[in-house]
């Protein structure tokens, strides 16, 4: 039993705090080395490293937390391993083996056990795997050396007093090109979204909603979260992209299983026109991602139009039910599908 750090877990924000160890493995001469834990939290790079010039970089995000019985677990790390594998391939980076990814996550969380927040605090240990080109390039081509690293940092509960509805806006910018990189988790998708993000916040919105950039007709997703809807019949409507430019959120895919198999709901995964939102077809909406699980969407603004979804008073009943069911599975309160909750220590 390790001693926990003396921290006010409940008042942690979503900011970086250095912990004891990170995991690091290097790709050189055509192979990954065996990988080690390191207490060195800085990275020294050549000024000509591929990451600095052509942005060969990708990342993941998942969390470890303590269950009611005091076990440290994480949620579906196999899907993060798989998504990072696919992302790396798309960026001509050597994918990190999936089994080693899961082992590395376990190793680095165990080494930082003292930073895993206790059950009931609402806080979690955020796990951030990241991979970048360290090899030197001047001409445009993939680098020949890479680093894979996992850092962990304790973060506070996303919502301190339960899930509060948010007001989002349709961005005048596009997030991802048709058949581009919208479906992979790469930093480059975020670099170009920062201006849109800053503007949305300055205008009083919590997040941007992006339309498909080919026709600006269909709903795609938010800046860092997928969106799901509930229609008047109680069906869960999940936007699909004609141009494969929605990031495959693990939270969204898990919620689809929860809705269909555990709650017996009808789930409709299909392209969703923004006009359906404007017509008032949806009575609830939510943004889903690892950080908040579901953020209920109360209102969506589009130019001067303000569309009321379920209002700003409280989360709707379906989003509440979905969120509670998934968080109960994650915390071990109810049993979810096999393999979803993976024990670390
Ligand atoms: C990470 C991410 C999400 C959420 O994915 P989860 O696996 O549920 O955390 C959604 N959209 C984008 C663009 C993302 O980068």
């Amino acid at each position: 039993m390790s001693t926990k750090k003396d921290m006010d877990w409940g008042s942690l924000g979503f900011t970086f705090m250095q912990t004891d160890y990170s995991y690091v493995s290097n790709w050189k001469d055509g192979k990954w080395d065996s990988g080690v834990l390191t207490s060195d939290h800085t990275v020294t790079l050549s000024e000509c490293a591929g990451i600095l010039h052509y942005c060969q970089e990708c990342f993941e995000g998942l969390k470890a937390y303590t269950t009611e019985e005091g076990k440290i677990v994480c949620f579906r790390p196999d899907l993060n391993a798989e998504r990072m594998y696919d992302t790396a391939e798309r960026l001509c980076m050597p994918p990190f083996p999936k089994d080693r990814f899961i082992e590395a996550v376990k190793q680095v969380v165990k080494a930082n056990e003292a930073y895993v927040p206790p059950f009931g605090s609402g806080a979690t240990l955020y796990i951030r795997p990241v991979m970048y080109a360290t090899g030197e390039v001047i001409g445009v081509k993939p680098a020949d050396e890479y680093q894979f690293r996992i850092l962990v940092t304790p973060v506070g509960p996303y919502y301190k007093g339960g899930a509060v509805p948010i007001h989002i806006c349709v961005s005048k910018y596009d997030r991802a090109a048709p058949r581009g990189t919208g479906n992979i988790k790469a930093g480059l998708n975020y670099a170009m979204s920062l201006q849109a993000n800053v503007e949305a916040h300055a205008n009083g919105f919590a997040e941007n909603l992006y339309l498909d950039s080919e026709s600006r007709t269909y709903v795609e997703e938010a800046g860092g979260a997928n969106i799901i809807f509930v229609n008047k019949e109680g069906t869960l409507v999940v936007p699909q992209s004609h141009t494969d430019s929605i990031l495959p959120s693990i939270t969204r895919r898990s919620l689809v299983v929860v809705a269909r198999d555990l709650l017996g709901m009808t789930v409709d995964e299909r392209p969703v026109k923004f006009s359906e939102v404007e017509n008032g077809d949806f009575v609830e909406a939510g943004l889903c991602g690892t950080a908040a699980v579901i953020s209920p969407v109360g209102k969506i603004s589009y130019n001067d139009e303000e569309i009321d979804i379920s209002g700003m008073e409280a989360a709707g009943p379906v989003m509440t039910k979905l969120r509670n069911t998934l968080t109960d599975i994650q915390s071990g309160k109810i049993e979810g599908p096999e393999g979803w909750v993976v024990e670390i220590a």
Side-chain angles (χ1 to χ4, degrees), residues 33-34 55 66 106 153 182 196 234 265 293 296:
D33 68 14
S34 54
C55 207
T66 311
K106 289 182 177 170
T153 189
M265 291 172 62
V293 182

Side-chain angles (χ1 to χ4, degrees), residues 1 66-73 119 331-334 343 345:
M1 220 22 232
T66 311
T67 64
E68 199 157 3
E69 299 125 49
K71 287 192 180 115
I72 295 174
V73 298
F119 176 79
S331 67
K333 208 162 151 190
I334 61 173
E343 196 174 324

